[in-house]
Amino acid sequence: MIEKKIKEKIKDVVFIELKNTVKVKNIEIKKEIPLPVKMTSLLEGIQSGKLEEEFDLLRVTEGIVFLLGIEPDFKYREEYKEITANVHSNLKDYILYLSKYYLDNGKLIESYIYLNAQDVLFEYDSDLYFTRLGVLEQIYNQNLYSLEDEEKQSIIAKLLKGYEEINKKEEYPLAFYKLGYLNAGLKNYLKAMLYFKKFLNYEGNEELKNEVRINLEEIEDNARMEEGEAYLRYGKFKEAENAFNKISKSYYEFDKVIYYKSIINYHLGYYEEANALIEEVLEINNREEYYNHAALVNVALENIDKSIYWYEEGLKEFERSYTLNYNLGLLYYNLKDEKYKIYFKKAYEIEPSDQLLSLIK
């Protein structure tokens, strides 16, 4: 959608032809070269009479920058580059001026187009590149609810890659700041924390630094959670425990932290500790997986009655839980208690399988 809007702006460009070759500083602009002008600038020129009175190079260079921002491979790009280089001693500031003017007037696509021209007119400039990414981010936020998921993902990927590329060329504090927030939004909390900490290492931007410091505690908790979960998946229980121990008690899902610590103790064979932790969790919150874990811990403790109790308590809350029904059925099956059929049947209704059907029969 955004690329389409950019391409559509080509209709705002018209071409004028010179009656004679014109000399501008060190170059001659041949009359055979059509010169692009934005339609709005042309209309302003006609209304003021200036277009007839004089050859207005500023209107032309604006048109060139705008055109090359839409069609970077335009036929006369080299001639246009020569014109802009001769007319403007500081082309970078001129592009930033044009972009800011349209940005301030709420025309984000036009602002972005002017910044796009840098790919043709400059080899590389981190300030222009950073500004362009910032405008793209604003376009994304403005069109968030009308963009297709694929385009959303494409823009986010472009933003991440772009800010990372800036830091490959040079260390650019504001790029670290942007990468911090983008990764936090994507729930890549470890990356977000690292980028924010890099940003805080630089001098200046105290207002932004204070903003980051305020949000960093929550981000750090999320980062430690992400880190701990990753270690847990790979069976690195001591490393996982170390990460979970760093999470503050104000963390919004602290019950899950305790639950994970119970899992760690269970896998390390500390069943009493695991049981104490999971019972603490169930006083705070009653998730399906908490009941299941409490029952498994009590099986390990050979406290079968308590295990059955936790499965039954869980099924009061989560009657349609395949896991709780199946595991309670399995427990009764191993105990050679005919009650197993009741729970296997319920599990089969939720998620049929030939294996379950054979056990029920």
Side-chain angles (χ1 to χ4, degrees):
M1 185 188 84
I2 291 171
E3 286 299 322
K4 184 182 176 184
K5 284 184 177 182
I6 290 171
K7 293 296 181 186
E8 285 174 350
K9 290 296 177 181
I10 196 71
K11 69 179 184 295
D12 293 342
V13 179
V14 294
F15 293 89
I16 59 174
E17 294 181 1
L18 299 174
K19 293 178 181 177
N20 301 296
T21 296
V22 174
K23 186 173 178 62
V24 179
K25 295 184 180 179
N26 300 321
I27 64 165
E28 286 187 343
I29 304 176
K30 296 178 181 179
K31 64 179 183 178
E32 293 84 11
I33 298 174
L35 299 175
V37 179
K38 275 195 75 182
M39 179 69 78
T40 50
S41 292
L42 183 64
L43 292 173
E44 287 169 5
I46 291 170
Q47 288 167 358
S48 65
K50 284 186 178 180
L51 209 61
E52 295 296 326
E53 294 170 10
E54 59 186 58
F55 177 55
D56 193 337
L57 276 173
L58 285 179
R59 295 184 198 278
V60 171
T61 53
E62 181 186 357
I64 287 172
V65 175
F66 192 74
L67 173 65
L68 293 179
I70 303 169
E71 297 286 350
D73 296 321
F74 196 77
K75 181 179 179 180
Y76 297 104
R77 60 179 272 173
E78 295 306 317
E79 289 85 350
Y80 292 163
K81 283 170 67 176
E82 194 175 13
I83 292 169
T84 53
N86 272 269
V87 173
H88 295 282
S89 58
N90 193 330
L91 188 55
K92 171 182 170 178
D93 283 353
Y94 181 60
I95 290 175
L96 287 171
Y97 161 75
L98 289 171
S99 175
K100 187 175 186 305
Y101 174 80
Y102 284 93
L103 185 65
D104 289 347
N105 284 279
K107 296 183 177 181
L108 299 183
I109 296 293
E110 283 90 340
S111 176
Y112 186 72
I113 287 170
Y114 286 112
L115 292 163
N116 258 350
Q118 66 189 274
D119 292 339
V120 180
L121 300 172
F122 293 90
E123 285 189 13
Y124 176 81
D125 184 275
S126 56
D127 294 329
L128 284 172
Y129 195 39
F130 179 84
T131 305
R132 175 167 60 175
L133 291 170
V135 175
L136 178 60
E137 204 171 333
Q138 289 189 56
I139 293 171
Y140 173 85
N141 291 331
Q142 189 181 72
N143 295 278
L144 186 60
Y145 298 106
S146 57
L147 292 171
E148 297 291 334
D149 287 343
E150 188 176 343
E151 190 169 10
K152 285 180 187 177
Q153 291 168 10
S154 174
I155 293 171
I156 291 295
K158 191 172 184 178
L159 290 169
L160 287 169
K161 184 180 178 183
Y163 289 126
E164 284 164 359
E165 281 179 356
I166 291 175
N167 284 318
K168 285 178 184 176
K169 302 275 187 182
E170 61 178 291
E171 290 194 342
Y172 201 93
L174 286 173
F176 288 128
Y177 170 83
K178 288 288 189 178
L179 284 165
Y181 272 106
L182 281 171
N183 278 285
L186 293 169
K187 298 185 178 180
N188 298 327
Y189 297 114
L190 273 173
K191 280 188 176 181
M193 182 177 71
L194 292 171
Y195 283 125
F196 278 140
K197 287 190 173 180
K198 282 185 178 181
F199 172 68
L200 292 174
N201 285 333
Y202 290 90
E203 293 181 3
N205 296 302
E206 285 305 316
E207 188 175 340
L208 290 183
K209 281 185 176 182
N210 287 333
E211 174 194 312
V212 167
R213 288 186 190 105
I214 291 167
N215 294 316
L216 199 52
E217 183 178 320
E218 183 180 346
I219 290 167
E220 283 183 330
D221 280 344
N222 282 314
R224 296 308 176 197
M225 190 65 153
E226 184 183 342
E227 181 185 15
E229 287 175 333
Y231 280 131
L232 205 55
R233 280 194 298 273
Y234 289 103
K236 295 185 176 182
F237 300 118
K238 290 295 184 184
E239 292 88 342
E241 187 175 34
N242 185 50
F244 293 135
N245 284 337
K246 293 177 182 176
I247 297 174
S248 65
K249 289 186 178 180
S250 60
Y251 182 62
Y252 75 104
E253 280 190 315
F254 197 70
D255 57 295
K256 194 184 268 192
V257 176
I258 305 169
Y259 165 62
Y260 285 147
K261 287 182 180 181
S262 178
I263 288 176
I264 291 167
N265 279 278
Y266 173 79
H267 283 287
L268 293 175
Y270 305 135
Y271 302 130
E272 292 290 352
E273 291 86 344
N275 189 49
L277 287 165
I278 196 59
E279 288 193 356
E280 181 184 344
V281 173
L282 283 163
E283 289 178 7
I284 302 169
N285 205 345
N286 56 348
R287 295 186 181 186
E288 177 185 348
E289 61 267 32
Y290 295 173
Y291 286 111
N292 186 60
H293 180 64
L296 291 174
V297 169
N298 278 280
V299 168
L301 287 167
E302 299 181 356
N303 191 348
I304 304 305
D305 289 342
K306 194 63 180 285
S307 180
I308 292 170
Y309 166 79
W310 283 124
Y311 279 130
E312 290 176 342
E313 287 297 301
L315 286 168
K316 288 177 185 177
E317 297 286 339
F318 306 97
E319 187 179 351
R320 296 285 298 169
S321 166
Y322 174 85
T323 300
L324 296 176
N325 277 294
Y326 178 82
N327 284 351
L328 180 53
L330 189 62
L331 181 58
Y332 278 128
Y333 181 82
N334 290 328
L335 292 171
K336 304 187 186 313
D337 187 322
E338 286 296 311
K339 287 181 184 175
Y340 80 86
K341 291 183 180 180
I342 299 169
Y343 298 100
F344 277 168
K345 281 179 182 177
K346 288 181 180 178
Y348 182 81
E349 288 171 8
I350 299 163
E351 196 175 310
S353 71
D354 291 339
Q355 181 192 10
L356 264 178
L357 189 59
S358 67
L359 289 169
I360 293 166
K361 289 179 178 178

